Amino acid sequence: MKPCWICNLGLMPYDQAFELQTRLAFLRYKKAIDDILLLLEHPPTVTLGKFGKIENVLVAEDELIKRGISLCSSNRGGDVTFHCPGQLVIYPIMDMRSREGNLRRFLSELEEVVIKATAAFGVQGERWSEHPGIWVEGRQIAAIGLHFVRGVSMHGISLNVNPDLEAFRVINLCGMAGKEATSIAKMAKRNVSIQQAVEFVQASFSAVFEVQLEDISCQQVLGDVFG
Amino acid sequence: MKKPEYNKKNSTCKSEGLSRRDFLKNAGLVTGGIAVTSMAIAAGCTDGGKTTTPTTTPPATTSPTTTPTTTAPTSTVPTTTPTTTPPTTTGNGGFVYMPPASNPELVDVVGCTSKVAADRLYSEEHVWVKLIEDNLAVIGMTDKMQLLLGLVERGELVLNPVGTELVYDGWLGNFEGQKMNVDMYSPVSGIIIQVNDELYVNSRVLESEPYLRGWLYVIELSRPEELDNLLDPIEYATAQANPNA
């Protein structure tokens, strides 16, 4: 199995995580590091993808600010996404140049990681061919959006573990009006912690991508990358 | 740099005791902040996660006599859906590139599973360059690139308009598929004098004829010596066959 670092960053602002991903992607492109999986949560943030439509943000920017929600642009694929605590964000920085298959397969494998992880809680996630991401009974439990820079992946998939689902109403999920979000905790009808989800995501990620995960501390990654 | 040993009996690995060099294989890159920033700009990103979102207007029509601008490329979003106002095709006084009708000879390198034409040069970023006159070149994405993208017909291609000045290793275009997008980088510097209109109405030629009708731009080269940086067909095919080299 190939090695892959894994780093749990805790709560990190979107902008800071974006900068970190950008630098890690460059280092991976230069083959200065191995693949690395970042696990984290973002403070309340609305992000617009490269072709995201501002009309899918249903609340004015000043109102977002009042509610403590940041609005950020992103170079990932997809439209609009909402992040908040209680949502596990999964960013794999992986070199596609040495992997079999195409980028679509990579996206599908990332979805598979989440399907396996939610299944561990008795929640059956499903794909919706026209709208990548993971859905449970018509509600979105995980949103996906990727960017590839010089053959290296950035961004990833966000899994709702136990977030405040009401907060998602500030956007049209993935640009679709009327769609609702759900979470593992809601569908499993019990408390589920981020740490519990992390354990299953790690296991399924290792199995799906056939990698040997190696822990690396947040301090070491940030120290090395940002000096 | 030596990598940490795995604990074969346990899927977890010790993080304690890892030095910085264990994470970063090349210490020199730690101080490469400027290079990182340059790459981010080339990728259409700016600092702090704010990105340059391409506009949703089609490329501006440029007359053949318009002097090419020297400003940075303008992001534009032509789509693969036929439009009522097609983008400009040529800015070179009537010069119109017509791709050959028959496939070029392909190189045969063991382990390379994509098609590599023998009559052109390549960048590591899967873009080909074919010289057609002294300072005129055609560029396009390789068969490997379209294989990586998959389902080209379901995506959206974003190209620069005629008159754009391309910079070596700068932003060449973008391919947006469902929930994912891929930046492309220019293998040469020069001015775009023709854009392949057919891609806006029939992007499948990127898949079916990457070395013929699937071309992207005709470029007037401003630094022809940059061609020396590119890979010849055997080198490119060998790199595909040995991606970990």
Side-chain angles (χ1 to χ4, degrees), chain A residues 2 22-36 92-103 106 109 147-154 209, chain B residues 25 29 39 111-114 123-127 142 144-145 147-149 169 182-183 185 231 236-245:
Chain A
K2 288 186 176 180
T22 301
R23 295 190 179 210
L24 287 172
F26 177 73
L27 293 170
R28 187 68 190 98
Y29 164 68
K30 289 292 186 185
K31 300 188 175 177
I33 59 172
D34 289 320
D35 291 338
I36 181 167
I93 312 296
M94 299 181 78
D95 190 345
M96 298 293 105
R97 293 169 293 181
S98 58
R99 294 187 63 82
E100 293 290 323
N102 62 24
L103 306 183
F106 178 76
E109 288 174 333
H147 178 70
F148 296 94
V149 54
R150 301 178 191 273
V152 177
S153 65
M154 285 179 62
F209 287 101
Chain B
K25 298 172 184 173
L29 288 163
M39 185 203 71
C112 178
T113 55
S114 65
S123 74
E124 292 179 354
E125 319 290 343
H126 309 298
V127 177
T142 66
K144 175 69 177 181
M145 174 68 106
L147 288 171
L148 281 171
L149 293 173
D169 212 28
V182 182
D183 283 327
Y185 298 91
L231 304 174
Y236 177 71
T238 302
Q240 303 320 306
N242 305 285
N244 294 314

Side-chain angles (χ1 to χ4, degrees), chain B residues 91-163:
Chain B
N92 192 34
F95 174 88
V96 176
Y97 172 70
M98 296 293 288
S102 57
N103 279 307
E105 182 183 345
L106 303 178
V107 299
D108 186 11
V109 170
V110 174
C112 178
T113 55
S114 65
K115 295 172 185 171
V116 177
D119 61 351
R120 60 202 73 195
L121 300 171
Y122 296 86
S123 74
E124 292 179 354
E125 319 290 343
H126 309 298
V127 177
W128 56 258
V129 181
K130 182 173 168 55
L131 210 56
I132 51 176
E133 287 183 20
D134 283 348
N135 276 349
L136 282 186
V138 184
I139 64 179
M141 67 169 72
T142 66
D143 185 49
K144 175 69 177 181
M145 174 68 106
Q146 70 85 14
L147 288 171
L148 281 171
L149 293 173
L151 294 173
V152 165
E153 80 276 11
R154 296 181 70 174
E156 185 167 296
L157 190 63
V158 181
L159 296 176
N160 290 295
V162 166

Side-chain angles (χ1 to χ4, degrees), chain A residues 47-159:
Chain A
T47 69
L48 278 172
K50 208 159 187 172
F51 299 102
K53 298 177 183 67
I54 192 68
E55 56 265 34
N56 285 320
V57 181
L58 304 177
V59 175
E61 190 166 359
D62 55 352
E63 178 61 24
L64 288 177
I65 293 169
K66 279 183 190 170
R67 298 188 192 183
I69 301 172
S70 302
L71 177 62
C72 296
S73 297
S74 176
N75 62 350
R76 62 163 172 74
D79 198 294
V80 61
T81 300
F82 182 73
H83 301 288
C84 63
Q87 179 192 66
L88 179 61
V89 177
I90 303 162
Y91 290 149
I93 312 296
M94 299 181 78
D95 190 345
M96 298 293 105
R97 293 169 293 181
S98 58
R99 294 187 63 82
E100 293 290 323
N102 62 24
L103 306 183
R104 179 66 50 194
R105 174 172 156 182
F106 178 76
L107 182 144
S108 178
E109 288 174 333
L110 205 49
E111 290 175 329
E112 186 66 21
V113 168
V114 167
I115 289 172
K116 285 180 180 295
T118 57
F121 295 97
V123 176
Q124 188 58 54
E126 296 176 336
R127 292 185 180 86
W128 180 3
S129 61
E130 293 303 309
H131 299 284
I134 300 303
W135 304 78
V136 180
E137 298 176 5
R139 296 181 175 88
Q140 189 179 59
I141 198 167
I144 195 166
L146 301 172
H147 178 70
F148 296 94
V149 54
R150 301 178 191 273
V152 177
S153 65
M154 285 179 62
H155 302 289
I157 191 163
S158 302
L159 171 61

Side-chain angles (χ1 to χ4, degrees), chain A residues 6-26:
Chain A
I6 178 168
C7 180
N8 201 324
L9 294 165
L11 187 67
M12 179 177 276
Y14 190 86
D15 288 357
Q16 189 181 346
F18 179 87
E19 181 69 16
L20 177 62
Q21 287 189 79
T22 301
R23 295 190 179 210
L24 287 172
F26 177 73

Side-chain angles (χ1 to χ4, degrees), chain A residues 118-224:
Chain A
T118 57
F121 295 97
V123 176
Q124 188 58 54
E126 296 176 336
R127 292 185 180 86
W128 180 3
S129 61
E130 293 303 309
H131 299 284
I134 300 303
W135 304 78
V136 180
E137 298 176 5
R139 296 181 175 88
Q140 189 179 59
I141 198 167
I144 195 166
L146 301 172
H147 178 70
F148 296 94
V149 54
R150 301 178 191 273
V152 177
S153 65
M154 285 179 62
H155 302 289
I157 191 163
S158 302
L159 171 61
N160 300 334
V161 179
N162 57 10
D164 171 13
L165 294 173
E166 283 299 308
F168 285 71
R169 295 185 184 279
V170 295
I171 63 166
N172 282 328
L173 287 179
C174 293
M176 291 181 290
K179 286 296 174 189
E180 293 184 4
T182 191
S183 67
I184 296 176
K186 180 175 182 179
M187 299 311 296
K189 296 184 174 60
R190 64 182 170 96
N191 290 330
V192 178
S193 69
I194 285 284
Q195 189 51 43
Q196 287 173 306
V198 163
E199 290 172 15
F200 287 111
V201 164
Q202 282 189 217
S204 59
F205 189 90
S206 178
V208 170
F209 287 101
E210 298 181 338
V211 291
Q212 177 92 32
L213 293 174
E214 305 172 28
D215 287 321
I216 185 169
S217 71
C218 174
Q219 290 76 14
Q220 185 169 348
V221 170
L222 295 178
D224 274 3

